[in-house]
Amino acid sequence: MAHSKKKIGLIGGGQIGGNLALLAVQKQLGDVILYDIPAAEGLVKGKALDINQLSAVDGYDCRVTGTTDWKDVAGADVVIITAGVPRKPGMTREDLLDVNLKIMRDVAGNIKQHCPDAFVINVANPLDAMVYALQKISGLPANKVVGMAGVLDTSRFKFFVAEALNTSIRDVEALVLGGHGDDMVPLVRHSTVGGVPLTQLIAKDKLDAIIDRTRKGGAELVGLYKTGSAYFAPAASSIAMAESFLLDRKRVLPAAAMLNGEYGINGVFFGVPVQIGAGGVEKIHTVELNEAEKAELARSYDSVKKTVESVKL
Ligand code: LMR
């Protein structure tokens, strides 16, 4: 594959940041700038060097640069934000609001200054409120700013379904709508396996258990890791979105996008299927919902709205 000259800025050199850098290089999406604050200089420089040293094994020509200087991130085509604190067992994502908002203020200000033309993907929690703060502070066009969670939540849902049926994940079609919280909405009625409705394949009590596990998917990993949260699947989910933008794939992926009346919601970022291409969020798709699904989505929106309303910009 030809060497791409696209530039990918990764803000935060922790576990997700390192995995993002590795995936971006392995997919040859472009050259990577792995940024963190000066206290983490060794970490980002070390991860960059380590990944560069594996590039000969499979012949990757993309390079990673570890830096603590925003000037190196300047002009990035895509920026993925993982900077922030992960939750610990017993915490909710909302418990991170104050500490992560402080970090987001700085990050969003620097994106405004150094990467005003980038497509920006936020991973920091509480996700829907953080992406809202990011867009407001950076002033970037709303269609160039998204939150990652829908791809992650949908991927978890699909995995649990494939596992329950002992079937290939390739044939599982499913979608999770709504905020990245415990009241997210896995759309069972719209889900299929090889075209067969999910409701025909899995008994209701088992499906309810899968829905519950999906909703608490992040907390399950926090409970296992104890000192942090998920990092492989969040990284892969963000890279799928970055790839669709960089290669103008026009994939339809669930993302926290700014809604302008769709689903009866205005001016808030919320998880819905969107088309991502070279123009950023190019289309927002509206799924037809029945009354019960609408009620579930409204509950999820109420939670997101409550957190967004407590964001002091
Ligand atoms: C996740 O869903 O894995 C992330 O949002 C991290 C978390 O705290 O759950």
Side-chain angles (χ1 to χ4, degrees), residues 199-222:
T199 44
Q200 261 177 245
L201 297 170
I202 305 183
K204 182 162 179 335
D205 57 331
K206 272 201 180 157
L207 259 177
D208 286 347
I210 289 175
I211 291 169
D212 190 56
R213 193 171 177 199
T214 301
R215 288 183 164 145
K216 296 176 184 151
E220 183 175 354
L221 282 154
V222 169

mmCIF file of all heavy atoms in Angstrom, residues 199-222:
data_model
loop_
_atom_site.group_PDB
_atom_site.id
_atom_site.type_symbol
_atom_site.label_atom_id
_atom_site.label_comp_id
_atom_site.label_asym_id
_atom_site.label_seq_id
_atom_site.Cartn_x
_atom_site.Cartn_y
_atom_site.Cartn_z
ATOM 1 N N THR A 199 -35.010 -11.807 17.618
ATOM 2 C CA THR A 199 -36.070 -12.260 18.528
ATOM 3 C C THR A 199 -36.502 -13.692 18.212
ATOM 4 O O THR A 199 -37.072 -14.373 19.061
ATOM 5 C CB THR A 199 -37.288 -11.315 18.433
ATOM 6 O OG1 THR A 199 -37.531 -11.046 17.058
ATOM 7 C CG2 THR A 199 -37.027 -10.022 19.152
ATOM 8 N N GLN A 200 -36.245 -14.168 17.005
ATOM 9 C CA GLN A 200 -36.574 -15.551 16.641
ATOM 10 C C GLN A 200 -35.494 -16.521 17.119
ATOM 11 O O GLN A 200 -35.718 -17.721 17.192
ATOM 12 C CB GLN A 200 -36.637 -15.659 15.111
ATOM 13 C CG GLN A 200 -38.037 -15.605 14.537
ATOM 14 C CD GLN A 200 -37.967 -15.643 13.030
ATOM 15 O OE1 GLN A 200 -38.352 -14.664 12.397
ATOM 16 N NE2 GLN A 200 -37.469 -16.713 12.435
ATOM 17 N N LEU A 201 -34.309 -15.990 17.382
ATOM 18 C CA LEU A 201 -33.162 -16.856 17.639
ATOM 19 C C LEU A 201 -32.805 -16.983 19.116
ATOM 20 O O LEU A 201 -32.217 -17.971 19.526
ATOM 21 C CB LEU A 201 -31.929 -16.307 16.881
ATOM 22 C CG LEU A 201 -32.057 -16.300 15.362
ATOM 23 C CD1 LEU A 201 -30.913 -15.515 14.748
ATOM 24 C CD2 LEU A 201 -32.056 -17.727 14.832
ATOM 25 N N ILE A 202 -33.114 -15.943 19.880
ATOM 26 C CA ILE A 202 -32.717 -15.949 21.295
ATOM 27 C C ILE A 202 -33.956 -15.684 22.156
ATOM 28 O O ILE A 202 -34.710 -14.735 21.889
ATOM 29 C CB ILE A 202 -31.621 -14.888 21.586
ATOM 30 C CG1 ILE A 202 -30.414 -15.096 20.657
ATOM 31 C CG2 ILE A 202 -31.187 -14.923 23.044
ATOM 32 C CD1 ILE A 202 -29.243 -14.163 20.902
ATOM 33 N N ALA A 203 -34.140 -16.506 23.174
ATOM 34 C CA ALA A 203 -35.302 -16.355 24.066
ATOM 35 C C ALA A 203 -35.237 -15.025 24.810
ATOM 36 O O ALA A 203 -34.140 -14.490 25.057
ATOM 37 C CB ALA A 203 -35.329 -17.505 25.063
ATOM 38 N N LYS A 204 -36.402 -14.504 25.188
ATOM 39 C CA LYS A 204 -36.492 -13.158 25.768
ATOM 40 C C LYS A 204 -35.614 -12.991 27.014
ATOM 41 O O LYS A 204 -34.918 -11.981 27.160
ATOM 42 C CB LYS A 204 -37.945 -12.827 26.084
ATOM 43 C CG LYS A 204 -38.072 -11.419 26.630
ATOM 44 C CD LYS A 204 -39.441 -10.877 26.576
ATOM 45 C CE LYS A 204 -39.557 -9.477 27.148
ATOM 46 N NZ LYS A 204 -38.590 -9.040 28.121
ATOM 47 N N ASP A 205 -35.621 -13.986 27.903
ATOM 48 C CA ASP A 205 -34.839 -13.812 29.137
ATOM 49 C C ASP A 205 -33.338 -13.732 28.825
ATOM 50 O O ASP A 205 -32.593 -12.940 29.402
ATOM 51 C CB ASP A 205 -35.143 -14.926 30.147
ATOM 52 C CG ASP A 205 -34.883 -16.309 29.589
ATOM 53 O OD1 ASP A 205 -34.994 -16.498 28.363
ATOM 54 O OD2 ASP A 205 -34.553 -17.212 30.394
ATOM 55 N N LYS A 206 -32.903 -14.497 27.831
ATOM 56 C CA LYS A 206 -31.485 -14.456 27.445
ATOM 57 C C LYS A 206 -31.157 -13.126 26.760
ATOM 58 O O LYS A 206 -30.091 -12.539 26.968
ATOM 59 C CB LYS A 206 -31.170 -15.599 26.473
ATOM 60 C CG LYS A 206 -30.778 -16.869 27.173
ATOM 61 C CD LYS A 206 -29.991 -17.765 26.226
ATOM 62 C CE LYS A 206 -29.607 -19.046 26.927
ATOM 63 N NZ LYS A 206 -29.349 -20.135 25.996
ATOM 64 N N LEU A 207 -32.109 -12.660 25.945
ATOM 65 C CA LEU A 207 -31.903 -11.362 25.277
ATOM 66 C C LEU A 207 -31.831 -10.227 26.289
ATOM 67 O O LEU A 207 -30.996 -9.325 26.174
ATOM 68 C CB LEU A 207 -33.056 -11.098 24.312
ATOM 69 C CG LEU A 207 -32.781 -11.374 22.843
ATOM 70 C CD1 LEU A 207 -34.023 -11.146 22.022
ATOM 71 C CD2 LEU A 207 -31.629 -10.513 22.339
ATOM 72 N N ASP A 208 -32.699 -10.297 27.294
ATOM 73 C CA ASP A 208 -32.689 -9.260 28.340
ATOM 74 C C ASP A 208 -31.332 -9.249 29.053
ATOM 75 O O ASP A 208 -30.791 -8.187 29.377
ATOM 76 C CB ASP A 208 -33.814 -9.504 29.354
ATOM 77 C CG ASP A 208 -35.178 -9.146 28.768
ATOM 78 O OD1 ASP A 208 -35.212 -8.493 27.698
ATOM 79 O OD2 ASP A 208 -36.218 -9.534 29.346
ATOM 80 N N ALA A 209 -30.776 -10.433 29.266
ATOM 81 C CA ALA A 209 -29.471 -10.515 29.941
ATOM 82 C C ALA A 209 -28.371 -9.915 29.046
ATOM 83 O O ALA A 209 -27.457 -9.234 29.533
ATOM 84 C CB ALA A 209 -29.155 -11.962 30.288
ATOM 85 N N ILE A 210 -28.483 -10.148 27.739
ATOM 86 C CA ILE A 210 -27.497 -9.581 26.801
ATOM 87 C C ILE A 210 -27.605 -8.054 26.779
ATOM 88 O O ILE A 210 -26.597 -7.337 26.773
ATOM 89 C CB ILE A 210 -27.690 -10.178 25.382
ATOM 90 C CG1 ILE A 210 -27.241 -11.644 25.377
ATOM 91 C CG2 ILE A 210 -26.941 -9.368 24.335
ATOM 92 C CD1 ILE A 210 -27.491 -12.370 24.068
ATOM 93 N N ILE A 211 -28.837 -7.570 26.793
ATOM 94 C CA ILE A 211 -29.049 -6.109 26.795
ATOM 95 C C ILE A 211 -28.426 -5.501 28.052
ATOM 96 O O ILE A 211 -27.707 -4.495 27.997
ATOM 97 C CB ILE A 211 -30.560 -5.784 26.708
ATOM 98 C CG1 ILE A 211 -31.083 -6.159 25.317
ATOM 99 C CG2 ILE A 211 -30.835 -4.317 27.015
ATOM 100 C CD1 ILE A 211 -32.584 -6.123 25.202
ATOM 101 N N ASP A 212 -28.685 -6.151 29.171
ATOM 102 C CA ASP A 212 -28.159 -5.638 30.446
ATOM 103 C C ASP A 212 -26.620 -5.659 30.438
ATOM 104 O O ASP A 212 -25.969 -4.697 30.862
ATOM 105 C CB ASP A 212 -28.705 -6.512 31.592
ATOM 106 C CG ASP A 212 -28.403 -5.901 32.933
ATOM 107 O OD1 ASP A 212 -28.797 -4.741 33.144
ATOM 108 O OD2 ASP A 212 -27.739 -6.565 33.759
ATOM 109 N N ARG A 213 -26.046 -6.728 29.914
ATOM 110 C CA ARG A 213 -24.581 -6.829 29.889
ATOM 111 C C ARG A 213 -23.985 -5.772 28.951
ATOM 112 O O ARG A 213 -22.927 -5.210 29.222
ATOM 113 C CB ARG A 213 -24.179 -8.242 29.448
ATOM 114 C CG ARG A 213 -22.723 -8.509 29.704
ATOM 115 C CD ARG A 213 -22.351 -9.954 29.481
ATOM 116 N NE ARG A 213 -20.925 -10.123 29.670
ATOM 117 C CZ ARG A 213 -20.218 -11.144 29.227
ATOM 118 N NH1 ARG A 213 -20.821 -12.127 28.570
ATOM 119 N NH2 ARG A 213 -18.919 -11.203 29.433
ATOM 120 N N THR A 214 -24.688 -5.528 27.846
ATOM 121 C CA THR A 214 -24.224 -4.492 26.904
ATOM 122 C C THR A 214 -24.224 -3.132 27.590
ATOM 123 O O THR A 214 -23.249 -2.374 27.523
ATOM 124 C CB THR A 214 -25.150 -4.436 25.671
ATOM 125 O OG1 THR A 214 -25.149 -5.722 25.044
ATOM 126 C CG2 THR A 214 -24.715 -3.366 24.689
ATOM 127 N N ARG A 215 -25.327 -2.843 28.269
ATOM 128 C CA ARG A 215 -25.459 -1.534 28.935
ATOM 129 C C ARG A 215 -24.385 -1.324 29.991
ATOM 130 O O ARG A 215 -23.927 -0.214 30.216
ATOM 131 C CB ARG A 215 -26.840 -1.419 29.581
ATOM 132 C CG ARG A 215 -27.939 -1.252 28.552
ATOM 133 C CD ARG A 215 -29.281 -1.071 29.216
ATOM 134 N NE ARG A 215 -30.238 -0.544 28.253
ATOM 135 C CZ ARG A 215 -31.533 -0.855 28.227
ATOM 136 N NH1 ARG A 215 -32.030 -1.688 29.115
ATOM 137 N NH2 ARG A 215 -32.324 -0.315 27.326
ATOM 138 N N LYS A 216 -24.001 -2.417 30.623
ATOM 139 C CA LYS A 216 -22.995 -2.316 31.690
ATOM 140 C C LYS A 216 -21.635 -2.798 31.214
ATOM 141 O O LYS A 216 -20.762 -3.156 32.027
ATOM 142 C CB LYS A 216 -23.469 -3.126 32.900
ATOM 143 C CG LYS A 216 -24.749 -2.553 33.495
ATOM 144 C CD LYS A 216 -25.278 -3.404 34.618
ATOM 145 C CE LYS A 216 -26.611 -2.846 35.122
ATOM 146 N NZ LYS A 216 -27.463 -3.907 35.667
ATOM 147 N N GLY A 217 -21.447 -2.809 29.888
ATOM 148 C CA GLY A 217 -20.217 -3.360 29.308
ATOM 149 C C GLY A 217 -18.959 -2.660 29.789
ATOM 150 O O GLY A 217 -17.929 -3.294 30.037
ATOM 151 N N GLY A 218 -19.020 -1.339 29.923
ATOM 152 C CA GLY A 218 -17.853 -0.585 30.383
ATOM 153 C C GLY A 218 -17.531 -0.905 31.832
ATOM 154 O O GLY A 218 -16.378 -1.135 32.207
ATOM 155 N N ALA A 219 -18.586 -0.979 32.658
ATOM 156 C CA ALA A 219 -18.396 -1.234 34.092
ATOM 157 C C ALA A 219 -17.840 -2.641 34.326
ATOM 158 O O ALA A 219 -17.046 -2.854 35.248
ATOM 159 C CB ALA A 219 -19.717 -1.063 34.831
ATOM 160 N N GLU A 220 -18.230 -3.600 33.483
ATOM 161 C CA GLU A 220 -17.723 -4.971 33.641
ATOM 162 C C GLU A 220 -16.195 -4.967 33.503
ATOM 163 O O GLU A 220 -15.482 -5.598 34.285
ATOM 164 C CB GLU A 220 -18.362 -5.885 32.583
ATOM 165 C CG GLU A 220 -17.929 -7.335 32.742
ATOM 166 C CD GLU A 220 -18.643 -8.297 31.780
ATOM 167 O OE1 GLU A 220 -19.567 -7.880 31.053
ATOM 168 O OE2 GLU A 220 -18.243 -9.479 31.768
ATOM 169 N N LEU A 221 -15.705 -4.202 32.536
ATOM 170 C CA LEU A 221 -14.248 -4.135 32.335
ATOM 171 C C LEU A 221 -13.553 -3.340 33.436
ATOM 172 O O LEU A 221 -12.449 -3.691 33.869
ATOM 173 C CB LEU A 221 -13.944 -3.561 30.945
ATOM 174 C CG LEU A 221 -14.152 -4.645 29.884
ATOM 175 C CD1 LEU A 221 -14.489 -4.069 28.544
ATOM 176 C CD2 LEU A 221 -12.929 -5.541 29.795
ATOM 177 N N VAL A 222 -14.208 -2.275 33.892
ATOM 178 C CA VAL A 222 -13.648 -1.498 35.011
ATOM 179 C C VAL A 222 -13.491 -2.417 36.229
ATOM 180 O O VAL A 222 -12.473 -2.374 36.934
ATOM 181 C CB VAL A 222 -14.551 -0.279 35.326
ATOM 182 C CG1 VAL A 222 -14.146 0.384 36.633
ATOM 183 C CG2 VAL A 222 -14.495 0.741 34.186
#
